Structure formats: structure tokens, C-alpha cells
Amino acid sequence: MSNVGRPSLYSDELVDRICEWISEGKSLRSFCRIEDNPGFQTVLDWLNDDDKIYFRSKYARAREIQAEVMADELLEIADDTKPDQLKLAHDKMKIETRQWIAAKLLPKKYGNIQHIEDITQTPKQLVIVTTDKDINT
């Protein structure tokens, strides 16, 4: 039995299109829903392929840019908020979603800061990890 299937759509041009899409703050899933684009799982398979170093490095950079775009959008949303309660709730949800995504994509820059205390009064070492949220309560 031969290993016959659909020909691969993978190309440097497609990689550039995917990464540009993501860099604009759009989701990979929305890109994959467009007709004639590769499926979501196919793109994930490419990212896991050790031979596709070019794609993985461009994709990682695109995700960093995406986090920056979303952080910039946070300012615009917050600055544009009007005193209408429905709009406020909607804007709050949009802000929190973008904050969560930015924290996951660039945790060193946008993630929760953790404070680590080292207590060594006895031969055993105890490390306490707390987040800013724990400190403020």
C-alpha cells in the first residue's frame, strides 16, 4: 500500500501569510477556517515537525508581536470606554481576554509576577511562592 494523500500546502509563502495573520492579532483558528488554507491540526503538525525550523522561529516571533498588538489594543479599548454599562462590561471582557492571552504568550513580560522567599532557619529549606494577588489580599 502506498503512502498517498493530499499534497502538502506547506511553503515559505504560506508560512509568511500565517505569521502575518497572527502578528495582526488574529487567531490561527480563524486563518485555518478560510477556504483553501490548511487545517488547524495540519499547522500544529508543521509546528511539531523538527524539519520546519523556519516556520517555528517565524511563528514564535509572530506570537510575540501578537502579544504586543494585544497589549496596544488594551490601551485603545480602555481609553475608548464610555459610561454605558453594557459597553463597559463588553470592554472589560475584551480587556481581560487580551490580558490573559498576552500573559500566556509572553509570561516574562505580561505574566503575573511571583515573589519567592527563601527561609533557611533549619537544615531543611522551605520556599514559599506567592503571587501579587496573594499579597494584595
Side-chain angles (χ1 to χ4, degrees):
M1 186 185 275
S2 66
N3 206 2
V4 178
R6 289 194 305 179
S8 177
L9 299 172
Y10 183 85
S11 68
D12 288 349
E13 179 184 328
L14 181 59
V15 165
D16 292 342
R17 284 183 35 227
I18 291 170
C19 293
E20 180 179 346
W21 184 270
I22 289 168
S23 294
E24 292 172 355
K26 300 173 190 171
S27 75
L28 177 59
R29 286 186 186 275
S30 66
F31 179 86
C32 294
R33 283 193 288 266
I34 297 172
E35 191 173 337
D36 295 329
N37 282 351
F40 184 73
Q41 187 59 52
T42 299
V43 176
L44 293 182
D45 290 344
W46 292 343
L47 285 169
N48 285 321
D49 186 339
D50 290 337
D51 293 334
K52 296 193 173 37
I53 296 169
Y54 173 74
F55 183 34
R56 287 202 323 259
S57 65
K58 285 212 54 153
Y59 185 84
R61 182 66 185 134
R63 286 296 188 181
E64 290 174 2
I65 294 169
Q66 181 186 49
E68 296 290 345
V69 166
M70 289 181 176
D72 196 53
E73 286 176 346
L74 289 172
L75 289 174
E76 287 184 1
I77 293 167
D79 290 345
D80 189 42
T81 300
K82 305 289 187 262
D84 172 37
Q85 290 301 318
L86 183 57
K87 183 169 178 3
L88 285 174
H90 181 71
D91 287 344
K92 182 179 180 200
M93 180 197 61
K94 287 169 50 178
I95 288 170
E96 288 173 351
T97 300
R98 284 165 174 77
Q99 285 174 327
W100 184 86
I101 291 169
K104 296 302 176 192
L105 294 175
L106 289 176
K108 289 181 181 176
K109 188 168 187 176
Y110 296 109
N112 290 334
I113 298 172
Q114 292 188 344
H115 301 278
I116 301 174
E117 297 177 33
D118 182 8
I119 303 170
T120 56
Q121 296 177 1
T122 64
K124 295 181 181 177
Q125 188 174 16
L126 174 64
V127 177
I128 300 172
V129 178
T130 60
T131 64
D132 286 343
K133 182 179 177 184
D134 296 330
I135 293 170
N136 293 330
T137 56

